Amino acid sequence: MAVEIIPIISKNNEYTVEANPDGSGIRFMQKFPNGYTRWAATIIDNGDEFVFAKLLMTGVEIQSFSPTMEMQLKNGKMPPVEVDNQVEANTPYAKKMFARYLYADEKPSGVIIGYSDGSKLWSVALCTEKDDSLLFSFSR
């Protein structure tokens, strides 16, 4: 069952993970105590590759990458295609991108981003909280 947002909580900051409004991928928003929310980063399905963009103090950094690793659990088994409490985006390139809690007990400290091509799950990136910022690791 899909949810609209997943929180990522750090010591002093709160982020949310949600689908891009146009369905192109998954985005990360930073929430401020005064209620203001701003875009922090996104991972977009660009057909043959993925594009990562993040907000810096000096502008926006953009890079592309092409993940090729199948997703698997620590025990080596394949994870289920559908889980409760995941953010989903049906991209224009016939992929279902998703963000799931990093830990099975749903601690809001990070997410796994992946996609389904219908039968298999593919790993795209891992996002965790580190020193009040978001830390991204990309699949190869």
Side-chain angles (χ1 to χ4, degrees):
M1 179 173 162
V3 295
E4 289 191 31
I5 64 166
I6 293 176
I8 296 177
I9 309 295
S10 68
K11 184 176 179 182
N12 296 308
N13 289 317
E14 182 177 347
Y15 299 91
T16 58
V17 183
E18 57 192 51
N20 283 335
D22 64 358
S24 62
I26 303 293
R27 70 181 183 176
F28 300 81
M29 304 294 286
Q30 184 176 7
K31 294 176 73 175
F32 293 91
N34 64 1
Y36 177 71
T37 302
R38 76 170 177 198
W39 175 86
T42 192
I43 299 175
I44 296 171
D45 177 10
N46 198 27
D48 294 331
E49 62 186 9
F50 289 84
V51 175
F52 172 70
K54 70 178 177 180
L55 181 63
L56 302 174
M57 296 297 279
T58 56
V60 176
E61 179 182 322
I62 301 171
Q63 64 187 43
S64 61
F65 63 103
S66 299
T68 59
M69 296 190 66
E70 286 185 49
M71 189 175 283
Q72 63 180 348
L73 300 173
K74 285 184 182 181
N75 62 10
K77 294 182 179 181
M78 296 302 296
V81 174
E82 298 287 332
V83 298
D84 289 338
N85 300 323
Q86 73 179 11
V87 170
E88 298 176 353
N90 292 310
T91 75
Y93 299 98
K95 294 182 190 118
K96 180 187 277 190
M97 284 187 69
F98 59 84
R100 296 178 178 178
Y101 284 105
L102 181 56
Y103 301 105
D105 60 0
E106 298 181 4
K107 291 181 183 176
S109 61
V111 293
I112 298 168
I113 297 95
Y115 74 91
S116 171
D117 62 4
S119 61
K120 292 184 182 178
L121 298 182
W122 301 91
S123 179
V124 174
L126 176 73
C127 175
T128 59
E129 176 278 322
K130 174 84 170 146
D131 298 327
D132 282 337
S133 296
L134 295 177
L135 175 66
F136 292 88
S137 299
F138 303 99
S139 296
R140 295 276 174 208

